[in-house]
Amino acid sequence: MTMPTFADDDALLEWVAQSLYTGVLSDACDAVGLRDRTLGPDIRPLDESRVLVGRAKTVAWAPMFHVPARPYDKEIAAVDSLRPGEVMVMAVGRSAEIVPWGELLSTATLARGGRGAVLDGLVRDSRRIRELGLPVFCTGRRPLDSCGRGIVVDFDVPIRVDGVPIAPGDLVVGDADGVVVVPRAAEAEVLDHAWTKVAGEDRTRAALRAGSLLADVFREHGIL
Amino acid sequence: MTMPTFADDDALLEWVAQSLYTGVLSDACDAVGLRDRTLGPDIRPLDESRVLVGRAKTVAWAPMFHVPARPYDKEIAAVDSLRPGEVMVMAVGRSAEIVPWGELLSTATLARGGRGAVLDGLVRDSRRIRELGLPVFCTGRRPLDSCGRGIVVDFDVPIRVDGVPIAPGDLVVGDADGVVVVPRAAEAEVLDHAWTKVAGEDRTRAALRAGSLLADVFREHGIL
Amino acid sequence: MTMPTFADDDALLEWVAQSLYTGVLSDACDAVGLRDRTLGPDIRPLDESRVLVGRAKTVAWAPMFHVPARPYDKEIAAVDSLRPGEVMVMAVGRSAEIVPWGELLSTATLARGGRGAVLDGLVRDSRRIRELGLPVFCTGRRPLDSCGRGIVVDFDVPIRVDGVPIAPGDLVVGDADGVVVVPRAAEAEVLDHAWTKVAGEDRTRAALRAGSLLADVFREHGIL
Amino acid sequence: MTMPTFADDDALLEWVAQSLYTGVLSDACDAVGLRDRTLGPDIRPLDESRVLVGRAKTVAWAPMFHVPARPYDKEIAAVDSLRPGEVMVMAVGRSAEIVPWGELLSTATLARGGRGAVLDGLVRDSRRIRELGLPVFCTGRRPLDSCGRGIVVDFDVPIRVDGVPIAPGDLVVGDADGVVVVPRAAEAEVLDHAWTKVAGEDRTRAALRAGSLLADVFREHGIL
Amino acid sequence: MTMPTFADDDALLEWVAQSLYTGVLSDACDAVGLRDRTLGPDIRPLDESRVLVGRAKTVAWAPMFHVPARPYDKEIAAVDSLRPGEVMVMAVGRSAEIVPWGELLSTATLARGGRGAVLDGLVRDSRRIRELGLPVFCTGRRPLDSCGRGIVVDFDVPIRVDGVPIAPGDLVVGDADGVVVVPRAAEAEVLDHAWTKVAGEDRTRAALRAGSLLADVFREHGIL
Amino acid sequence: MTMPTFADDDALLEWVAQSLYTGVLSDACDAVGLRDRTLGPDIRPLDESRVLVGRAKTVAWAPMFHVPARPYDKEIAAVDSLRPGEVMVMAVGRSAEIVPWGELLSTATLARGGRGAVLDGLVRDSRRIRELGLPVFCTGRRPLDSCGRGIVVDFDVPIRVDGVPIAPGDLVVGDADGVVVVPRAAEAEVLDHAWTKVAGEDRTRAALRAGSLLADVFREHGIL
């Protein structure tokens, strides 16, 4: 089965959202030798029914314990430079004090065509974010403001979340099982593998549903 | 915008439930210099759609490893002295062995006009509690009985939950984002700040939704 | 009230699912001196509305860091030997790298009359598992494949999950509050206690709902 | 090799200190079917060169967040009732706020013929305790006072530390590897097993030192 | 007993090192109502025999995942501006990746008259630091370089370590039990309380050593 | 400065032990782009004064909850196949139940010319191991036997410890700061970098000791 071609990146992102899912993308990363591309199990969707697909817009946070001069400069610059198709990916280091995401940033993200947010940190205004429909993946919620607790130190730079290196522009996919980040350089190969595997799964599933032994199914199809 | 006045404490609690939310109350606490008034992200609502507002009725638990003489005396006394408008706030120290809350206490609480429960510990009978409609905020669930595992050592005394000092009568507010506890002495000032901020947020939100840059919105409204 | 008798084990499992729940089973275990029979609060149902009742089919996993020769032999043998009424109970040691359960194993389990899965580990394909309707209790989700990350080292052997010893054939019950495992030898006695307690609870509940003091209810009924 | 007999309990405790060690006692507990009798690896000696052997004097602590009326009553009564040969064993629940042990209690313990202290909690005055020579096993140190942070709720009652049930009078043994607690009822049998095993170990050790293969040593001596 | 007066701050620091210790300083903080002034039990001295007393020179670190332009500017400026009597106090957020302290900074600190370092993070070159004799309190060791893993974002600003707010110039005292930080404004009062308490302890200690009951000692001296 | 050449691998290992240390080896790994080659801070030496240098002999453990048939086969085979210059490196997954290392294995290791052991797990017989002089790096101690708690599932295979991939034959170096593992393929280049850096450090150190500003030292020598 041949991979489709896409008019633009937006079409590719939509196709990924419709045709693939995190499990098969993680398998495809494995297949090309990228074995550490899924974020850990603590980064969960606010709304499990939403799928997130976009390009990483990276942001690095630091703890801060007072209100410095011009506390918002880099945070504002990061949000205001967001481009359509992008996902805010924030390295917060699992701080329980910094809550960098809430309704206002969600609103601003949607207004710029942003596709969601992923952070190893907390969010607030979670019910309103869900109403807005923006897919957000985070480690939890707390009704705190970030001012005087954390600042953005850099953006559009390489970051790591849960040990996974993430570069600006990497393909970020999230669903009920978690988040996979596919590096740009390997993207075409990974998508191709994923597409092939999705096609094969239907036969395995049908055989198992019909009561075949796993041993026979594995012998015939070679996947488990 | 002037704060309304209230016929009685019940009216005030209802107004808080209708007009405010934990995020804005936490911001208002920050504004008056109370920066550590939100419980941590592990204390979660059993039912995210319910809002909890009430006065703290404090209870302190201790681990126990046998069934002492008269194991229930203080627990019974605490529940039986609950007054309308109060919320059971229990310091359990995140014990995974003590499960101090379940259907019976929920039923008794509702029968006395209690408004909910908050604990840094586990609950059982979670589906029945949700059916009863009582808002309960806890760290998880486990189908254990507390007898021979923990006892109430004191109630109506100052406690700390997640490092937040809580005194009897403090205003406790919980929603999908977590729990904020406002000390009695600062309550009027905090509510006033929160009320003012809520009013201002609509303009910010509208500007962002219309596509304004965050930089411009922040320059004009001064909030983020 | 006399315990009913059952035509076969399947009828017994159904009766447990209809008439009892984890809280009362844990209380009954306490009553016969088995005080450590509930799994910890981190093992949660994928779908809180489903009840799991079945016989333990035990599996022990080990971390693995390369793809060994014949990596699937024991995993396949374990699944293919599953009998109707059984529940896969997997000791994974809370590994964040091994994800031993997903759609395929769920499908195979259902095809063999299996009643669910319990593991101190992660699952993938969580939305499809929910659609299939199989009750699964786990510590979280991650879209990883187990190949090259873990292998089954043994099955149909005694295991421990969260410190609870579990033998093949033990009665496993899970609901929104968590999981209880009743050892075979104590099963009849535990079920009898649970049945008696369920009958008594209605009176307590009614008294509390009518506004009785907890002190009076406890004095009269002796349960809390 | 026949176990010696002892003039009194003090002689038995001394013999255990001279002839056995925690590893062989844990093996002996295993041999009689008591597989969970060692405290976890976080309970460490203040001074690794000291050996602790004595009878458990149990104490249960509770967190407290204010100074109650008569805060010291039970703590004082517990210490003042300590008898020669006893070891204070304190269940503190790994609280980082309660620091129940320090120089004063160490001095009082020594003055009463006490043989040491074991706690799943913190100590202070650690250098002076080491100078006093009292063996203390704890989870760490912090220079806090317990007043207003914790109280003794009970003593001379069954407790659990790291999941290990400990009754008053149980044999407590600690050395550089950690702590083993032998229940009274199994003590004679456990000591007998340990004594036999100690005797056999010398031959295994000698064979291995001489370069024998582990396979041969195990075949011949049956221990590893 | 009257507190001595001091020729200069250096004399005061020396007197604290000779006459007081962390336990009594923590008690004195309690006495004046400052109950959260000790760092947690995970911040341990590299060398338990050394005492640290000095003025806080605060530094805030941020995680970083690439080598930014001019990565060392603020770190160099912080070290080069250290004044005699100061202690580097670094907020690292318990990062296991950033190792901000080693032999070079220790050498530079000693050359400037610095008195030690305290950090909620890791160090390297630990044996050489011990040979240099600089008191360092940290959460552990790892042989990593900080370059490309963390940067200094600010210094000479308020920070928090283990929840304890620390301002530049605060009195920092560390010994085998841990670290206490006394705020400038309360320093005179705290030192006075500590000095008085030290004097009283000798009598209590002597009474206990002589075998007095704790109950009697407490009744007479009022301290425990 | 040119790297020396070595008569055999033993001479190389000795030279590393004498001339290098973990910090400079980690820096050299960074320099060649291997940024994740140090084990985490929880793996600590039993005796900080000993240096460990050798070739990895890898072993993978699995939790086990009963005594299987022939429980020791692979463990015995692993130890008996140890060759001079090798270090046992054991992946235990931080289990608190499996204690795979003790006096007997230490004795057998020394008898075969083994150079030490590294494990992300616990050891027993710690005082005797120290007396034997074998360098052992572990996460803690507990006086348990491994029988019925864990088994060796494989050896001489790739493993991961703290996320660091380790292959048989990799160079393992441990000292007071922790453990670095240098992959075979990069070894020559890493050793060369380390050797060059060691030579340069003396000048930096001398300049700092003489009171030079860090800014000047960094400008001149380019290292920090």
Side-chain angles (χ1 to χ4, degrees):
Chain A
M1 207 155 66
T2 332
M3 273 269 292
T5 52
F6 305 101
D8 53 20
D9 201 54
D10 209 58
L12 180 146
L13 299 179
E14 274 310 308
W15 175 81
V16 170
Q18 296 303 322
S19 315
L20 304 178
Y21 55 96
T22 55
V24 81
L25 282 163
S26 170
D27 294 347
C29 286
D30 276 2
V32 305
L34 297 169
R35 290 184 64 81
D36 295 301
R37 302 303 311 171
T38 67
L39 307 191
D42 298 329
I43 298 186
R44 299 290 308 145
L46 274 190
D47 181 341
E48 290 195 12
S49 68
R50 295 201 177 273
V51 170
L52 165 70
V53 180
R55 299 281 164 199
K57 164 92 180 180
T58 58
V59 177
W61 283 81
M64 189 55 40
F65 309 93
H66 72 302
V67 182
R70 313 196 56 82
Y72 293 120
D73 281 10
K74 288 192 176 170
E75 183 179 351
I76 288 173
V79 174
D80 282 344
S81 61
L82 190 80
R83 286 169 306 183
E86 288 186 332
V87 172
M88 296 296 267
V89 184
M90 293 184 155
V92 194
R94 310 215 159 210
S95 163
E97 302 302 321
I98 314 174
V99 182
W101 199 262
E103 187 201 3
L104 256 56
L105 296 197
S106 296
T107 303
T109 295
L110 280 168
R112 272 150 201 67
R115 285 172 155 264
V118 173
L119 59 161
D120 62 342
L122 307 172
V123 306
R124 60 181 274 180
D125 310 328
S126 56
R127 293 193 71 190
R128 300 200 188 183
I129 294 174
R130 278 215 292 238
E131 287 160 19
L132 289 170
L134 189 77
V136 173
F137 290 69
C138 59
T139 54
R141 315 176 205 181
R142 197 176 192 186
L144 277 181
D145 184 41
S146 63
C147 185
R149 297 187 175 93
I151 52 160
V152 171
V153 279
D154 221 338
F155 61 96
D156 295 340
V157 293
I159 60 173
R160 290 182 86 147
V161 175
D162 278 3
V164 178
I166 305 177
D170 280 355
L171 179 66
V172 179
V173 181
D175 59 23
D177 285 344
V179 178
V180 178
V181 182
V182 183
R184 206 79 212 237
E187 187 177 304
E189 198 184 2
V190 166
L191 292 181
D192 194 65
H193 264 89
W195 179 232
T196 306
K197 183 153 194 240
V198 160
E201 279 179 342
D202 289 338
R203 280 163 296 162
T204 319
R205 203 178 285 135
L208 287 171
R209 207 176 293 136
S212 297
L213 286 178
L214 209 55
D216 297 334
V217 171
F218 179 58
R219 200 174 306 118
E220 191 173 345
H221 300 283
I223 50 178
L224 208 65
Chain B
M1 207 156 66
T2 330
M3 271 269 292
T5 53
F6 305 102
D8 54 20
D9 201 52
D10 210 57
L12 180 145
L13 299 178
E14 274 309 309
W15 175 81
V16 170
Q18 296 303 322
S19 315
L20 304 178
Y21 55 96
T22 55
V24 81
L25 282 163
S26 170
D27 294 346
C29 285
D30 276 1
V32 304
L34 297 169
R35 290 185 64 81
D36 295 301
R37 302 302 312 172
T38 68
L39 307 190
D42 297 330
I43 299 185
R44 299 289 309 145
L46 275 190
D47 181 343
E48 289 195 12
S49 69
R50 295 202 178 274
V51 170
L52 166 71
V53 181
R55 299 280 165 202
K57 165 90 179 178
T58 58
V59 177
W61 283 80
M64 189 56 40
F65 310 93
H66 70 303
V67 182
R70 313 196 56 82
Y72 295 119
D73 281 10
K74 288 192 177 168
E75 183 179 350
I76 287 173
V79 174
D80 282 344
S81 62
L82 191 78
R83 287 168 305 185
E86 287 185 333
V87 172
M88 297 294 269
V89 184
M90 294 185 153
V92 195
R94 311 217 157 210
S95 163
E97 304 302 321
I98 314 173
V99 181
W101 199 262
E103 187 200 3
L104 256 55
L105 296 197
S106 297
T107 303
T109 295
L110 281 167
R112 271 148 200 69
R115 286 172 156 264
V118 173
L119 60 159
D120 61 343
L122 305 172
V123 307
R124 60 181 272 178
D125 311 327
S126 55
R127 292 194 73 190
R128 299 201 189 183
I129 295 173
R130 277 213 292 236
E131 287 160 19
L132 290 169
L134 189 78
V136 173
F137 290 69
C138 60
T139 53
R141 314 176 204 181
R142 197 176 191 186
L144 279 180
D145 184 41
S146 63
C147 184
R149 297 187 175 93
I151 52 161
V152 170
V153 280
D154 220 338
F155 61 96
D156 294 339
V157 293
I159 60 173
R160 290 181 86 145
V161 175
D162 280 2
V164 178
I166 305 177
D170 281 354
L171 178 66
V172 179
V173 181
D175 59 23
D177 284 345
V179 178
V180 177
V181 182
V182 183
R184 205 84 211 234
E187 187 177 306
E189 196 185 3
V190 166
L191 292 180
D192 195 64
H193 264 89
W195 179 232
T196 307
K197 184 154 194 239
V198 160
E201 278 179 342
D202 289 340
R203 280 164 295 162
T204 319
R205 203 178 287 136
L208 287 171
R209 206 176 294 136
S212 297
L213 285 178
L214 209 55
D216 296 334
V217 171
F218 179 59
R219 200 173 306 119
E220 191 172 346
H221 300 283
I223 50 177
L224 207 64
Chain C
M1 208 156 61
T2 331
M3 271 270 293
T5 53
F6 305 101
D8 54 20
D9 201 54
D10 210 58
L12 180 145
L13 300 179
E14 275 309 308
W15 175 80
V16 170
Q18 296 303 323
S19 315
L20 305 178
Y21 56 96
T22 56
V24 82
L25 282 163
S26 170
D27 294 347
C29 285
D30 277 1
V32 304
L34 298 169
R35 290 183 64 81
D36 296 300
R37 302 302 312 170
T38 67
L39 307 190
D42 298 330
I43 298 187
R44 299 290 309 144
L46 275 189
D47 180 343
E48 289 194 12
S49 68
R50 294 201 178 274
V51 170
L52 166 70
V53 180
R55 299 281 165 200
K57 163 92 179 178
T58 58
V59 178
W61 283 81
M64 188 56 39
F65 310 93
H66 71 303
V67 182
R70 314 194 57 82
Y72 294 119
D73 280 11
K74 288 192 176 168
E75 182 178 352
I76 288 173
V79 174
D80 282 344
S81 61
L82 190 79
R83 285 169 307 185
E86 289 186 332
V87 171
M88 297 295 269
V89 184
M90 293 183 155
V92 195
R94 309 217 159 208
S95 163
E97 303 301 322
I98 314 174
V99 181
W101 199 262
E103 186 200 3
L104 255 57
L105 296 197
S106 296
T107 303
T109 295
L110 280 167
R112 271 148 201 68
R115 285 171 156 267
V118 173
L119 60 160
D120 62 341
L122 306 173
V123 306
R124 58 181 273 178
D125 311 327
S126 56
R127 294 194 70 191
R128 299 199 188 184
I129 294 174
R130 278 214 292 235
E131 287 160 19
L132 289 169
L134 189 78
V136 174
F137 289 69
C138 59
T139 52
R141 314 176 203 180
R142 197 177 192 187
L144 277 181
D145 184 41
S146 62
C147 184
R149 296 186 176 93
I151 52 162
V152 171
V153 280
D154 221 339
F155 61 95
D156 293 341
V157 294
I159 59 172
R160 291 183 86 146
V161 175
D162 279 3
V164 177
I166 305 176
D170 281 355
L171 179 65
V172 179
V173 181
D175 60 21
D177 284 346
V179 178
V180 177
V181 182
V182 183
R184 206 81 210 235
E187 187 177 305
E189 197 184 3
V190 166
L191 292 181
D192 194 65
H193 264 89
W195 180 232
T196 307
K197 181 150 197 244
V198 160
E201 278 180 343
D202 289 338
R203 280 162 297 162
T204 320
R205 202 179 287 136
L208 287 172
R209 208 176 292 137
S212 297
L213 284 179
L214 208 54
D216 296 335
V217 172
F218 179 60
R219 201 174 305 119
E220 190 172 346
H221 301 282
I223 49 177
L224 208 65
Chain D
M1 207 155 64
T2 333
M3 271 269 294
T5 52
F6 305 101
D8 55 19
D9 201 53
D10 210 57
L12 180 144
L13 299 179
E14 274 309 308
W15 174 81
V16 170
Q18 296 302 321
S19 316
L20 303 179
Y21 56 95
T22 55
V24 81
L25 283 163
S26 170
D27 294 347
C29 285
D30 277 1
V32 305
L34 298 168
R35 291 184 64 82
D36 294 302
R37 301 304 310 172
T38 67
L39 306 191
D42 298 330
I43 298 186
R44 298 290 308 145
L46 274 190
D47 180 342
E48 289 194 13
S49 69
R50 295 203 178 273
V51 171
L52 165 71
V53 181
R55 298 282 165 201
K57 165 91 178 180
T58 57
V59 177
W61 282 81
M64 190 54 40
F65 310 92
H66 71 302
V67 182
R70 312 195 58 81
Y72 294 119
D73 281 9
K74 288 193 175 168
E75 182 178 351
I76 287 172
V79 173
D80 282 344
S81 62
L82 190 79
R83 287 169 307 184
E86 288 185 334
V87 172
M88 297 294 269
V89 183
M90 295 183 154
V92 195
R94 309 214 160 212
S95 163
E97 303 303 321
I98 314 174
V99 182
W101 199 262
E103 187 200 3
L104 254 57
L105 296 197
S106 297
T107 302
T109 295
L110 280 167
R112 272 147 200 69
R115 284 172 157 264
V118 173
L119 59 160
D120 62 342
L122 306 173
V123 307
R124 61 181 273 178
D125 311 327
S126 57
R127 293 194 70 188
R128 299 198 189 185
I129 294 174
R130 279 214 293 236
E131 287 160 19
L132 290 169
L134 188 77
V136 173
F137 290 68
C138 60
T139 52
R141 315 175 203 181
R142 199 176 191 185
L144 278 181
D145 186 39
S146 63
C147 184
R149 297 187 175 92
I151 52 161
V152 171
V153 278
D154 221 338
F155 60 96
D156 294 340
V157 293
I159 60 172
R160 290 182 88 147
V161 175
D162 279 3
V164 178
I166 305 177
D170 281 354
L171 179 66
V172 179
V173 181
D175 59 22
D177 284 345
V179 178
V180 177
V181 182
V182 183
R184 206 78 208 238
E187 185 176 306
E189 197 185 2
V190 166
L191 292 181
D192 194 64
H193 263 89
W195 179 231
T196 307
K197 181 151 197 240
V198 160
E201 279 179 341
D202 289 339
R203 280 164 295 163
T204 319
R205 202 178 286 135
L208 287 172
R209 208 176 292 136
S212 296
L213 286 179
L214 208 55
D216 296 334
V217 171
F218 178 60
R219 200 173 306 121
E220 191 171 347
H221 301 282
I223 50 177
L224 206 64
Chain E
M1 206 155 63
T2 332
M3 272 270 292
T5 52
F6 305 101
D8 54 21
D9 200 54
D10 209 58
L12 180 146
L13 299 179
E14 273 310 307
W15 174 82
V16 170
Q18 295 303 321
S19 316
L20 304 178
Y21 56 96
T22 55
V24 81
L25 282 163
S26 169
D27 294 346
C29 285
D30 276 1
V32 304
L34 298 168
R35 290 184 64 81
D36 295 302
R37 302 303 311 172
T38 67
L39 306 191
D42 297 330
I43 298 186
R44 299 290 308 145
L46 274 189
D47 181 343
E48 289 194 13
S49 68
R50 294 201 178 274
V51 170
L52 166 69
V53 180
R55 298 282 165 200
K57 164 91 179 179
T58 57
V59 177
W61 283 81
M64 188 56 39
F65 309 92
H66 72 301
V67 183
R70 312 196 58 83
Y72 293 120
D73 281 9
K74 287 192 177 168
E75 182 179 351
I76 288 173
V79 174
D80 283 344
S81 62
L82 190 80
R83 285 168 308 183
E86 288 185 333
V87 171
M88 296 296 268
V89 183
M90 292 183 155
V92 195
R94 308 215 161 211
S95 163
E97 302 302 321
I98 313 174
V99 182
W101 198 262
E103 187 200 3
L104 254 57
L105 296 197
S106 297
T107 303
T109 296
L110 281 167
R112 270 149 201 69
R115 284 171 157 265
V118 172
L119 60 160
D120 63 342
L122 306 172
V123 307
R124 59 182 274 180
D125 311 326
S126 56
R127 294 195 69 190
R128 300 199 188 184
I129 294 174
R130 278 215 291 236
E131 286 160 19
L132 289 170
L134 188 78
V136 173
F137 290 69
C138 59
T139 53
R141 315 175 204 181
R142 197 176 193 188
L144 278 181
D145 185 41
S146 62
C147 185
R149 295 187 176 93
I151 53 162
V152 171
V153 279
D154 221 338
F155 61 96
D156 295 339
V157 292
I159 61 173
R160 292 182 86 146
V161 175
D162 280 3
V164 177
I166 305 176
D170 281 355
L171 180 66
V172 179
V173 181
D175 60 24
D177 284 345
V179 177
V180 177
V181 182
V182 183
R184 206 81 209 236
E187 186 177 306
E189 197 185 3
V190 167
L191 291 180
D192 195 64
H193 264 88
W195 179 231
T196 307
K197 183 154 194 238
V198 159
E201 279 179 343
D202 289 339
R203 280 163 295 162
T204 319
R205 202 178 286 137
L208 287 171
R209 206 176 292 136
S212 298
L213 285 179
L214 209 55
D216 297 334
V217 170
F218 178 60
R219 199 173 307 117
E220 191 172 345
H221 300 283
I223 51 176
L224 207 66
Chain F
M1 205 155 65
T2 333
M3 273 268 292
T5 53
F6 305 101
D8 54 20
D9 200 54
D10 211 59
L12 180 145
L13 299 178
E14 274 310 308
W15 175 80
V16 170
Q18 296 303 321
S19 315
L20 304 178
Y21 56 95
T22 55
V24 80
L25 282 163
S26 170
D27 294 347
C29 285
D30 276 2
V32 305
L34 298 168
R35 290 184 65 82
D36 295 302
R37 301 304 311 172
T38 68
L39 306 190
D42 297 330
I43 298 186
R44 297 291 309 146
L46 275 189
D47 181 342
E48 289 196 12
S49 69
R50 294 203 178 271
V51 170
L52 165 70
V53 181
R55 299 281 164 200
K57 165 92 179 178
T58 58
V59 178
W61 284 81
M64 188 57 38
F65 310 92
H66 72 303
V67 182
R70 312 195 59 81
Y72 294 120
D73 281 10
K74 287 192 177 169
E75 182 178 352
I76 288 173
V79 174
D80 282 345
S81 61
L82 190 79
R83 286 169 305 185
E86 289 186 332
V87 172
M88 296 296 268
V89 184
M90 293 182 156
V92 195
R94 310 216 159 209
S95 163
E97 302 302 321
I98 314 174
V99 181
W101 199 261
E103 186 201 3
L104 255 57
L105 296 197
S106 297
T107 303
T109 295
L110 280 168
R112 272 148 198 69
R115 284 171 156 266
V118 173
L119 59 160
D120 61 342
L122 306 172
V123 306
R124 59 181 273 177
D125 312 326
S126 56
R127 293 194 71 191
R128 300 200 189 183
I129 294 174
R130 278 214 292 238
E131 286 160 20
L132 289 169
L134 189 78
V136 174
F137 289 70
C138 59
T139 53
R141 314 176 204 182
R142 198 175 191 188
L144 278 181
D145 185 41
S146 63
C147 186
R149 295 187 176 92
I151 52 161
V152 171
V153 279
D154 221 338
F155 61 96
D156 295 340
V157 293
I159 60 173
R160 291 181 87 146
V161 176
D162 279 3
V164 178
I166 305 178
D170 281 355
L171 179 66
V172 178
V173 181
D175 60 22
D177 284 345
V179 177
V180 177
V181 182
V182 183
R184 205 82 210 234
E187 186 177 307
E189 198 185 2
V190 166
L191 292 181
D192 195 66
H193 263 89
W195 179 233
T196 307
K197 182 152 194 240
V198 161
E201 279 179 342
D202 289 339
R203 280 163 297 162
T204 320
R205 201 179 287 134
L208 286 172
R209 207 177 293 136
S212 297
L213 285 178
L214 209 55
D216 297 335
V217 170
F218 179 60
R219 200 173 306 120
E220 191 172 347
H221 300 283
I223 52 177
L224 208 64

